[in-house]
Amino acid sequence: MLGLLSDVHSNLEALEAVLQAMPKVDRILVLGDIVGYGPDPNAVIARLQSVRVRAVMGNHDQAMLDPSLLDWFNEHAAAAARWTQSVLSAQSRRFLTSLPKYGRIGRHRYVHGSPRKPYIWEYILDELQALEILMALGGRLCFFGHTHLPRIFTEAGEQVPEPGEWISLPPAALVNPGSVGQPRDGNPDAAYAVVDLATSAVQFGRVPYDLVTTQAKILKAGLPEVEAVRLALGQ
């Protein structure tokens, strides 16, 4: 059994809520963007290390190591990234440096943006795009993040999953658990998913967290106010 987390974005309260709500799993995969936007990058990294996750690098993680990426960020995201760079510990930086852009779990794959080579920060958002990726991927599952939207893409099309329901997966599917730390589907609750590889099924989960505390931390740190406001809107 696998736990899928993505786009934690330095939100410690959301991460703790998800780790408490998630059923017991054999391994947790983190699909990138561990840092950025939020107020607790070092604490989030330490917490993920404490549960021995396997993780891949996201674009916000790479921006900590290559500031030239900030040219592609919007004003508020870039400001948050620069703040994160200023507080990131040496240990946290080493952890981010160690992350690959592409991971394997058995015959299946996990990435942040897209499994297409080279591994780019592509947003998988529409059915035709997803079908092209599935055809190249072959009969495998690929777990991805980046869009902050819980989704399943198969050759039959796009599915918006309901939390709590076990959904059977075909041999080839793209699965996005949504965002732990900054959901963008209109629901502010932290998102995650659990995958049973033995039965090829996935269950999506949502859990409320103490977002008021996270918002207060964002404002106290001097991060852009919009990053606090958007949490309550799920945007």
Side-chain angles (χ1 to χ4, degrees), residues 21-34:
M22 182 183 293
K24 182 176 176 57
V25 295
D26 301 305
R27 174 76 68 178
I28 296 174
L29 304 183
V30 180
L31 310 176
D33 276 6
I34 292 167

Side-chain angles (χ1 to χ4, degrees), residues 60-75:
H60 284 258
D61 307 321
Q62 188 178 12
M64 297 301 101
L65 314 173
D66 180 6
S68 69
L69 264 67
L70 298 183
D71 294 341
W72 299 92
F73 284 28
N74 66 48
E75 175 187 357

Side-chain angles (χ1 to χ4, degrees), residues 155-226:
E155 292 181 9
E158 177 183 12
Q159 182 175 355
V160 180
E162 289 293 329
E165 174 188 2
W166 278 100
I167 301 168
S168 294
L169 296 171
L174 305 173
V175 178
N176 188 328
S179 171
V180 172
Q182 195 191 81
R184 295 181 185 170
D185 61 348
N187 180 349
D189 292 347
Y192 66 96
V194 176
V195 177
D196 186 341
L197 290 179
T199 62
S200 194
V202 60
Q203 182 187 56
F204 289 75
R206 300 302 284 261
V207 59
Y209 69 94
D210 185 3
L211 67 83
V212 172
T213 292
T214 306
Q215 288 174 316
K217 288 181 178 180
I218 287 171
L219 297 177
K220 183 177 180 180
L223 287 159
E225 184 178 358
V226 66

